[in-house]
Amino acid sequence: MTTRLLEVKHVTKRFGGLAAVSSINMAIDRGELVGLIGPNGAGKTTVFNLLTGVYVPTEGTIHFDGRLMNRCKPYQIVRAGMARTFQNIRLFRQLTARDNVKVAAQLRCRCGLISSLCRTPRSLANDRQVNQIADELLDVMNLQDVADARAGDLAYGLQRRLEIARALATRPRLLLLDEPAAGMNPQEKVDLMALIQKIRRDFDLTVLLIEHDMKLVMGICERIYVLDYGQIIAEGAPSRIRRDPRVIKAYLGEEYGDVESDTGTGFSVRTEV
Amino acid sequence: MRFWVNRLLGVTGALALLYAISVWATENLQEYYFKVIILCGIYIILAVSLNLVNGITGQFSIGHGGFYAVGAYVGAAWTVLWQPEAARALPLLQLNTLHGHIVNLLIALMLGAFAAGCTGFLVGLPSLRLRGDYLAIVTLGFGEVIRVVLLNIDAVGGARGLIGIPSLVQSGNLGFFWVFLFVVLLIAISRNLLQSSYGLAFLAVREDEVAADATGVNTTRVKVTAFVLAAVFAGIAGVLYAHFFINISPDTFDMNTSIIITTMVVLGGSGSITGSVLAATFLTAMPELLRDFKEYRMVIFSTLLILIMLTRPQGLFGHGELGYATFQRLIRSGRGKTL
């Protein structure tokens, strides 16, 4: 068994004449925690959508665990072991937090339509099992108190955590997190960092995350890809990325500031200026 | 094992009860009221089955009359056109005994349900890729296509329709039994689906299709399943209608019928089984109650609808249900107050 979990080769996605992502290469090994950063509009979410089957690549190949995933439907990719969260949270808002997780947990349980319609012992046993999986995950994500609240009514930070819980319920091997810290306050971000590290350890996960918060990215990622105008412009350990002139140029423009001395969130703040 | 014994006892008990009510109702109710009740039952089947698609899975379909028509015509085609041929070869199928009636009705039901289900699959597979208004237009168009096709098939009477269908449903005083057997069955199935974790996939598709996809739900399959299931029951409703009211014509299944069924679902609260049942009963019985004010009937009808939509846009019940659990809650809170 190779250690390579995800391999993206020369993947291009064009919308009409616009190449949102052009000829990118990425390789992620089992157990890694990799970051994907880049200025707004660089194509980060497009990469996620390509990986998860929302878009079909115009060119190139995506291998997950040795299997070619190019033409797979999103649900097939999830079943193969790749789960994601969304930048703009997409929960099932009218359902309870527990039911949100149960939708995902049901995936790993074998119980058919007829059995459910007839309410056979098998379907009841399945329901109990799914319930249990959901409750365990809600516990892990510290959401047990709001298990019966409607997902749409939860506070923002809780919704983000619930989305991760839902993704975990599909029992992924690779977890894709699209800006998990967006809209969180500094304390929540610190907690989130710890949480990501914890679930990665406990669930034996490989994680790829998109994030704007440099403190978070630099803090937890072992390796970082930098995307700009649809192309990977740099790749490597956080310390190298921080010094890479192309990255500095993409974020800050040329001849601007001493990035090395910047250790905090200032990096991302200044890009907004 | 014990589970299956209990289940068997429960089902037998329910069947016996239905039969008893059926015999009592036929003997004691005036024919007019009896017919209204049967019609209510048929519309409950239509509304609750459409609720599987519109309410639970969140796909806005307004062509349910089409499946109703397919079921009615295929079922009636069996009893009127094919059954006499078949009975010559198989004496079991002759219509001169009660069990002959029952066997033929069951065959008609199976054929009607199967035909409607297949139509549902064929229509659903391509059109469920569409969302919202587009799906509504396609399904509306489908309903009309069915009607026009029926209008032009001479074998089933064209515009005149099929008349003099043997009254299989009512024979042996079983009219109420048959109709409400399927009412109960459909409600039970819908409830089981809503309460099982398997059924959550349907709700997930309603809430957010992209997220459902990303959670591993095969959304196409879920939507087509709901569509076919709904079509099968609409087909059953059609067969029951044809063999109770004994005359059908393409006009019985026009656009108005489809829209009334959709109205029932929306009025009751999309996704609520209780809502669909009550709205179906209400919208079927009310025009009858208002017969004395014939000229104003539609005015009252539409005013009521507008009022409800203004004051309660989510429908009478929203997503809520009225069931055993609700009564338990009411009793508990009632006790709390008195103590």
Side-chain angles (χ1 to χ4, degrees):
Chain A
M1 200 163 74
T2 58
T3 55
R4 180 90 2 121
L5 187 61
L6 180 76
E7 188 147 37
V8 178
K9 273 189 189 153
H10 304 296
V11 165
T12 300
K13 176 68 191 175
R14 288 198 195 89
F15 296 105
L18 178 81
V21 165
S22 52
S23 194
I24 60 164
N25 291 299
M26 290 169 80
I28 297 176
D29 289 341
R30 273 169 226 283
E32 273 193 301
L33 204 169
V34 180
L36 178 62
I37 63 171
N40 287 332
K44 303 182 295 292
T45 299
T46 307
V47 170
F48 266 32
N49 284 338
L50 285 166
L51 292 178
T52 52
V54 177
Y55 299 148
V56 177
T58 320
E59 283 162 29
T61 56
I62 298 169
H63 281 90
F64 178 70
D65 204 16
R67 266 176 67 193
L68 183 68
M69 301 306 257
N70 276 29
R71 300 233 150 239
C72 285
K73 298 254 167 57
Y75 75 90
Q76 291 169 323
I77 291 178
V78 177
R79 287 172 193 199
M82 201 191 305
R84 73 175 292 184
T85 65
F86 291 90
Q87 183 178 2
N88 43 346
I89 305 172
R90 300 191 85 127
L91 289 166
F92 309 122
R93 300 177 61 85
Q94 301 277 345
L95 306 186
T96 63
R98 184 184 286 113
D99 284 352
N100 266 273
V101 182
K102 276 166 73 178
V103 172
Q106 169 66 24
L107 171 73
R108 298 284 171 204
C109 300
R110 289 279 137 250
C111 168
L113 173 71
I114 305 291
S115 184
S116 302
L117 291 185
C118 301
R119 210 173 166 79
T120 58
R122 182 154 164 225
S123 109
L124 292 174
N126 173 63
D127 286 357
R128 275 194 296 277
Q129 194 193 346
V130 168
N131 237 327
Q132 197 188 339
I133 297 174
D135 279 337
E136 279 167 17
L137 278 168
L138 289 170
D139 269 353
V140 170
M141 300 304 284
N142 245 326
L143 289 164
Q144 63 274 50
D145 297 338
V146 293
D148 293 310
R150 264 182 10 146
D153 297 340
L154 295 182
Y156 193 79
L158 296 183
Q159 291 197 5
R160 286 247 173 244
R161 289 223 298 271
L162 179 55
E163 231 195 351
I164 296 176
R166 189 179 65 183
L168 286 177
T170 65
R171 283 214 241 137
R173 278 173 294 165
L174 176 63
L175 182 63
L176 308 174
L177 301 171
D178 198 345
E179 297 201 26
M184 287 189 169
N185 66 36
Q187 182 55 44
E188 283 175 325
K189 281 180 187 171
V190 172
D191 294 345
L192 182 75
M193 279 168 71
L195 188 70
I196 292 175
Q197 304 254 14
K198 178 176 146 53
I199 56 172
R200 176 189 170 209
R201 213 171 39 241
D202 294 354
F203 292 85
D204 196 19
L205 284 176
T206 310
V207 180
L208 173 63
L209 68 89
I210 294 179
E211 190 46 72
H212 272 304
D213 188 285
M214 288 305 142
K215 194 170 154 193
L216 194 146
V217 174
M218 299 292 173
I220 65 172
C221 292
E222 290 150 1
R223 213 150 55 80
I224 294 174
Y225 284 96
V226 187
L227 204 61
D228 192 25
Y229 291 109
Q231 286 175 321
I232 302 261
I233 56 167
E235 182 238 317
S239 52
R240 248 182 65 198
I241 293 295
R242 218 177 293 191
R243 264 181 256 115
D244 193 302
R246 282 166 304 179
V247 178
I248 297 168
K249 187 180 153 200
Y251 266 95
L252 308 173
E254 277 169 290
E255 301 283 327
Y256 193 102
D258 177 15
V259 183
E260 254 183 285
S261 68
D262 190 315
T263 51
T265 50
F267 197 113
S268 59
V269 171
R270 261 195 266 160
T271 57
E272 317 279 341
V273 173
Chain B
M1 192 57 212
R2 205 168 131 220
F3 174 89
W4 292 110
V5 171
N6 285 343
R7 173 63 62 90
L8 192 69
L9 287 176
V11 170
T12 319
L15 289 178
L17 184 67
L18 268 178
Y19 178 71
I21 298 175
S22 186
V23 172
W24 177 86
T26 325
E27 281 167 2
N28 293 292
L29 286 179
Q30 280 182 32
E31 204 192 337
Y32 171 68
Y33 292 112
F34 185 69
K35 279 190 171 167
V36 172
I37 289 174
I38 293 290
L39 199 60
C40 283
I42 287 173
Y43 272 98
I44 290 174
I45 298 177
L46 290 168
V48 176
S49 64
L50 186 64
N51 183 46
L52 284 172
V53 177
N54 285 27
I56 294 175
T57 321
Q59 308 298 309
F60 201 75
S61 159
I62 46 177
H64 218 44
F67 303 116
Y68 185 31
V70 169
Y73 267 87
V74 172
W78 163 258
T79 26
V80 175
L81 304 174
W82 306 325
Q83 184 272 337
E85 304 278 324
R88 230 167 284 149
L90 256 177
L92 177 77
L93 294 175
Q94 273 163 11
L95 278 177
N96 44 19
T97 55
L98 176 60
H99 76 254
H101 281 198
I102 293 176
V103 169
N104 275 296
L105 179 63
L106 287 176
I107 293 175
L109 281 167
M110 270 191 279
L111 288 176
F114 182 73
C118 290
T119 322
F121 183 75
L122 291 177
V123 176
L125 204 56
S127 60
L128 285 168
R129 291 160 175 270
L130 303 170
R131 285 174 200 192
D133 309 348
Y134 301 104
L135 178 66
I137 290 167
V138 169
T139 50
L140 184 71
F142 156 74
E144 282 300 280
V145 167
I146 292 288
R147 190 179 65 86
V148 173
V149 166
L150 290 174
L151 214 49
N152 288 291
I153 300 180
D154 287 331
V156 292
R160 191 166 44 96
L162 271 174
I163 45 180
I165 303 164
S167 173
L168 300 182
V169 172
Q170 188 46 16
S171 61
N173 290 347
L174 285 172
F176 184 93
F177 175 82
W178 287 118
V179 173
F180 282 84
L181 172 67
F182 287 104
V183 169
V184 171
L185 182 68
L186 177 58
I187 292 175
I189 281 181
S190 303
R191 188 202 74 133
N192 288 351
L193 185 71
L194 266 181
Q195 291 193 345
S196 69
S197 48
Y198 188 92
L200 280 172
F202 291 71
L203 295 173
V205 170
R206 173 183 81 195
E207 293 299 316
D208 188 331
E209 217 177 307
V210 176
D213 246 333
T215 318
V217 175
N218 185 346
T219 48
T220 311
R221 190 168 159 183
V222 162
K223 287 191 285 186
V224 172
T225 305
F227 213 65
V228 170
L229 208 56
V232 163
F233 275 94
I236 289 174
V239 178
L240 292 172
Y241 181 90
H243 294 85
F244 186 87
F245 291 97
I246 68 174
N247 296 323
I248 51 173
S249 75
D251 284 346
T252 320
F253 310 102
D254 61 359
M255 203 167 81
N256 273 336
T257 314
S258 294
I259 290 185
I260 294 260
I261 304 167
T262 312
T263 311
M264 289 167 178
V265 174
V266 175
L267 182 70
S270 293
S272 167
I273 303 169
T274 325
S276 298
V277 171
L278 290 182
T281 314
F282 177 66
L283 288 188
T284 316
M286 200 188 59
E288 299 297 332
L289 295 178
L290 294 177
R291 234 169 233 284
D292 294 343
F293 316 92
K294 211 162 53 197
E295 290 82 19
Y296 305 104
R297 181 156 81 157
M298 287 322 270
V299 178
I300 300 173
F301 191 83
S302 41
T303 313
L304 265 177
L305 269 184
I306 292 171
L307 277 178
I308 287 172
M309 285 299 108
L310 281 177
T311 50
R312 239 185 117 70
Q314 72 273 45
L316 291 175
F317 281 82
H319 290 315
E321 295 290 350
L322 191 63
Y324 185 58
T326 325
F327 286 116
Q328 274 185 326
R329 224 174 19 247
L330 281 176
I331 292 166
R332 227 176 286 138
S333 65
R335 269 194 211 135
K337 268 173 217 153
T338 47
L339 283 173

